[in-house]
Amino acid sequence: MAVHNPRVDRRRFLSGTVLGWGLPVVLAGRSWAANSPPPSQQVTVAVIGTGSRGMGLLEMVLQEPRCRVLALCDVDKRHLAAAAKRVPTSCQTYTDFRRILDRQDIDAVVLGTPDHWHAVMTVLACQAGKDVYCEKPLARTIGEGQAMIQAARRYGRMVQMGSQYRSMARTRQVCEWVRNGRLGKVQEVRLTHAPNPARPCQPPQPVPPELDWDMWLGPAPWAPYHPARCHFTFRYFMDYGSGALADNGVHMFGVVSWALGADHSGPVRIQATGRQEPNNLYDVPVEMEVRFEFAEPPCTVIWEQKPGHKLNIEFIGQQATLSGFWEFQLTQGQADLSPTRPNEIQLERSDNHLGNWIDSIQSRQLPVYDVEIGHRVTVWSHLGNIAYRLGRPLQWDPAKEQFPGDEEANRLLHVAYRPPWQI
């Protein structure tokens, strides 16, 4: 049950107007629509993290007529200045996200930060009474994801994980084909992805004057600055990201989980192998193979990163094989790929991922990629990395979210934070 928050009262009027807003037209960095609600009746939003993905999220918010952007935040003043050009002059900028959480006039925050910041910011935002749109992967560790769920539920917040495939019609149709047995029983799914990159080791460099490096690191262990450690390539360091397994992997796992009906369960056995590149500045494995075994439903999901691989999901059914990523096609056998019929399983419909989150803020009903589902899907990537790190198969209890009788593995459910950060 949602916790009452007086600041939500002014949004109650929205509960009956979830649908029907006209498409906006972008003019001079702002989004305008003839039937936009007046400013006093819009959801007020701050965007935290305005780098490459953050700018994409900002554009999404600007094109949503039910939103009004009041604040931006980034620890890199270059990113902040670029984002500020896209918003009204009345929008304030910050380098410390806590100043945004202090503001009572902001309803919700959109997080485009590196992965290692997701949990701290989400938990603190929920405590401050703000709804959260958090870019995938949901968290850096399994323990962080658990804390994010607890905060969302305790404070009655709507937290959406940002993976747009849950709001794409073609993805939903593929998942409905699988769920309705159009391919026959699916007992194996194969996922392929290009290897993680390698970069020769290089000495540290001076911190650029426009970057607050200590704040960028935040809860992560201290490390000397190198430009490859931050911004896009942060994902190839285990302290900040988890390689492609937690990047595109979470997108792909989310599609597979939806198709298999595994959003509220998870794998029960995991095995991982990989190859490290010598003299590599990045510490994620270059090549990787992870085998996930599921009991409910019975299925094996195999992740492979090898040279020559590209983004692909292959559902191998008893009658047919469906393969693709952006678009899917039959590669073996025959199957009825006509639209889902009224008497078949029909998955939750969303055609605008950020818009679905706004719908949830208005109605106080959970979004299509609620924090708990986002956590369950993100856990797959963490399990793969833990199994790789330990170099042995692992048993996993998806209900208790523990490695039964395996204290060595359970110690890796979370990592220590650098003071003063905590969740």
Side-chain angles (χ1 to χ4, degrees), residues 395-418:
Q395 303 295 325
W396 175 249
D397 184 334
K400 296 181 179 179
E401 294 198 320
Q402 292 280 319
F403 298 99
D406 192 338
E407 286 307 308
E408 182 183 29
N410 285 326
R411 283 196 292 271
L412 302 180
L413 292 175
H414 189 47
V415 296
Y417 279 176
R418 191 167 64 106

Side-chain angles (χ1 to χ4, degrees), residues 21-37 39 42 61-68 86-88:
W21 297 112
L23 292 177
V25 177
V26 177
L27 293 173
R30 290 204 60 181
S31 173
W32 299 91
N35 52 356
S36 295
Q42 290 175 317
V61 175
L62 290 173
Q63 293 186 52
E64 170 52 67
R66 295 170 292 174
C67 288
R68 184 160 54 104
R86 301 292 298 134
V87 296

Side-chain angles (χ1 to χ4, degrees), residues 149-163:
I149 295 171
Q150 292 169 4
R153 300 297 185 253
R154 178 177 182 182
Y155 299 102
R157 298 298 91 203
M158 299 296 107
V159 180
Q160 171 99 299
M161 185 173 81
S163 179

Side-chain angles (χ1 to χ4, degrees), residues 9 25 28 47 57 67 91 113 116 121 166 211 248 310 410:
D9 291 346
V25 177
V47 177
L57 294 173
C67 288
C91 179
T113 64
H116 68 289
M121 290 184 178
R166 283 292 169 110
L211 176 66
N248 280 325
K310 61 180 181 180
N410 285 326

Side-chain angles (χ1 to χ4, degrees), residues 129-146:
K130 304 186 192 309
D131 300 306
V132 181
Y133 182 104
C134 179
E135 187 58 30
K136 64 81 201 150
L138 186 75
R140 252 287 295 126
T141 71
I142 294 172
E144 285 184 338
Q146 294 168 341

Side-chain angles (χ1 to χ4, degrees), residues 139-214:
R140 252 287 295 126
T141 71
I142 294 172
E144 285 184 338
Q146 294 168 341
M148 294 165 80
I149 295 171
Q150 292 169 4
R153 300 297 185 253
R154 178 177 182 182
Y155 299 102
R157 298 298 91 203
M158 299 296 107
V159 180
Q160 171 99 299
M161 185 173 81
S163 179
Q164 288 70 30
Y165 297 94
R166 283 292 169 110
S167 297
M168 290 184 178
R170 62 178 180 266
T171 302
R172 183 171 60 252
Q173 180 63 87
V174 167
C175 293
E176 289 179 352
W177 285 333
V178 175
R179 288 280 283 273
N180 287 298
R182 299 285 189 94
L183 309 179
K185 189 174 183 180
V186 172
Q187 295 180 313
E188 182 174 295
V189 183
R190 303 189 72 90
L191 312 177
T192 58
H193 193 284
N196 289 315
R199 184 187 183 112
C201 288
Q202 298 169 322
Q205 296 186 20
V207 179
E210 65 273 9
L211 176 66
D212 185 339
W213 178 238
D214 185 71

